[in-house]
Amino acid sequence: MGAVRRALRNVDVTPTEAMDILSWAQDELPAIYERDQTAYLVLGSYRSPYIRRVRSVSDRLNRRYGTYAFLIGDLDDIDVSRLPEFRVKFHLTAALADYITTVIEQDAGGEINELGKLSETEYFRKAYVLPRGYRWDTESNLRDREDVLAAAAQIETATGADEETKQSELSKLVDRATAAGIDVTVEGLTEWLVDHDLAVPSYSWVQLNDFRLFELQDRCCPWLTEDELVERTDELPGSPRPQWEE
């Protein structure tokens, strides 16, 4: 009920609603707080084709010994029409899960709201983010020209930024690339961006900063292909993979 109070910002819950919520938790959540299991809450978009990648992460985690990975959407509804049901389910499952991971591929949708919740709540300490195509353009991430081009593509496709801001960010990127010993220019990057069809997700500046926050905590796992997504999933903490698979 502490999680429920956090979800509702201390709005009073009637005795009947409290009983309905607790009954739902008793039916739906035992596997989450089972002591002998590692529970993973898997977040992400339920729209096609993104849901397929969210499911693949959940399925991959469930192959581990003693691991129960689940999606909020797989849980039954709570019969509390007066209350914001999803908020209640999110806070209950996030509070009880051992780990949380979210798969992100776009700059719109419910998963963006979930990312904000994770970065600003007590759930941050046990959360991991899996953003497709993310690359923070610090010098340590700039090893060759391809890295610089990928960072430039992310700047170009970022939403919520005007051309002046993008040019300023490209200029900073060039300065960092030069410091890393990579010979590029703003003009060269701009020309390359015009000539190429960018096959990378467009993220907002807010999302990129949240990704960077997780990266600084070593809990950001970028990927581009589905094979890389599987590899990043296998790197998440928790129960190990079964040895017979090796």
Side-chain angles (χ1 to χ4, degrees):
M1 292 308 294
V4 174
R5 285 192 291 273
R6 286 195 296 274
L8 301 177
R9 295 291 189 266
N10 295 315
V11 169
D12 288 336
V13 177
T14 68
T16 300
E17 289 170 336
M19 183 60 67
D20 288 339
I21 292 171
L22 291 174
S23 296
W24 175 86
Q26 187 175 25
D27 292 338
E28 293 293 315
L29 305 184
I32 300 178
Y33 51 80
E34 171 64 46
R35 291 185 179 180
D36 294 332
Q37 288 197 121
T38 299
Y40 253 101
L41 170 58
V42 182
L43 303 171
S45 175
Y46 288 3
R47 289 182 289 177
S48 179
Y50 311 118
I51 183 61
R52 183 163 58 85
R53 261 90 69 181
V54 177
R55 288 281 185 203
S56 70
V57 169
S58 177
D59 293 344
R60 189 75 177 178
L61 289 169
N62 274 320
R63 294 186 188 185
R64 298 181 179 184
Y65 287 128
T67 297
Y68 171 64
F70 67 98
L71 279 61
I72 292 178
D74 290 337
L75 304 176
D76 283 344
D77 294 337
I78 310 175
D79 187 17
V80 283
S81 58
R82 185 180 73 94
L83 305 177
E85 179 194 7
F86 177 80
R87 287 187 60 86
V88 174
K89 292 169 86 171
F90 175 86
H91 281 269
L92 277 172
T93 53
L96 291 171
D98 297 298
Y99 297 103
I100 305 168
T101 188
T102 180
V103 184
I104 299 182
E105 301 187 53
Q106 54 179 335
D107 66 348
E111 64 271 29
I112 307 309
N113 182 269
E114 294 165 351
L115 175 66
K117 286 187 175 70
L118 293 180
S119 64
E120 300 298 333
T121 65
E122 63 272 24
Y123 312 130
F124 174 76
R125 59 182 174 79
K126 56 183 176 182
Y128 291 75
V129 63
L130 300 169
R132 181 168 75 89
Y134 163 74
R135 187 185 300 265
W136 189 263
D137 53 338
T138 53
E139 290 179 25
S140 61
N141 286 342
L142 300 176
R143 296 174 293 274
D144 53 35
R145 188 170 183 273
E146 292 301 315
D147 291 335
V148 179
L149 294 176
Q154 182 166 270
I155 292 171
E156 178 62 24
T157 58
T159 57
D162 56 27
E163 286 304 315
E164 182 180 350
T165 300
K166 291 179 180 181
Q167 285 298 309
S168 174
E169 291 299 319
L170 285 176
S171 179
K172 295 176 184 177
L173 171 61
V174 167
D175 290 342
R176 287 191 283 268
T178 301
I182 304 170
D183 185 19
V184 292
T185 64
V186 173
E187 293 75 14
L189 289 178
T190 302
E191 182 178 345
W192 182 87
L193 292 169
V194 170
D195 292 341
H196 289 77
D197 183 21
L198 305 175
V200 296
S202 58
Y203 296 121
S204 70
W205 293 125
V206 174
Q207 285 175 274
L208 294 175
N209 276 267
D210 277 346
F211 295 160
R212 180 55 177 165
L213 177 62
F214 279 92
E215 186 177 5
L216 290 170
Q217 300 281 339
D218 294 323
R219 287 188 274 118
C220 179
C221 310
W223 59 279
L224 191 58
T225 67
E226 294 195 26
D227 286 342
E228 288 177 341
L229 178 60
V230 170
E231 292 175 4
R232 300 292 86 76
T233 301
D234 286 345
E235 294 169 1
L236 294 174
S239 304
R241 304 277 302 161
Q243 291 184 350
W244 58 262
E245 285 196 343
E246 298 298 327

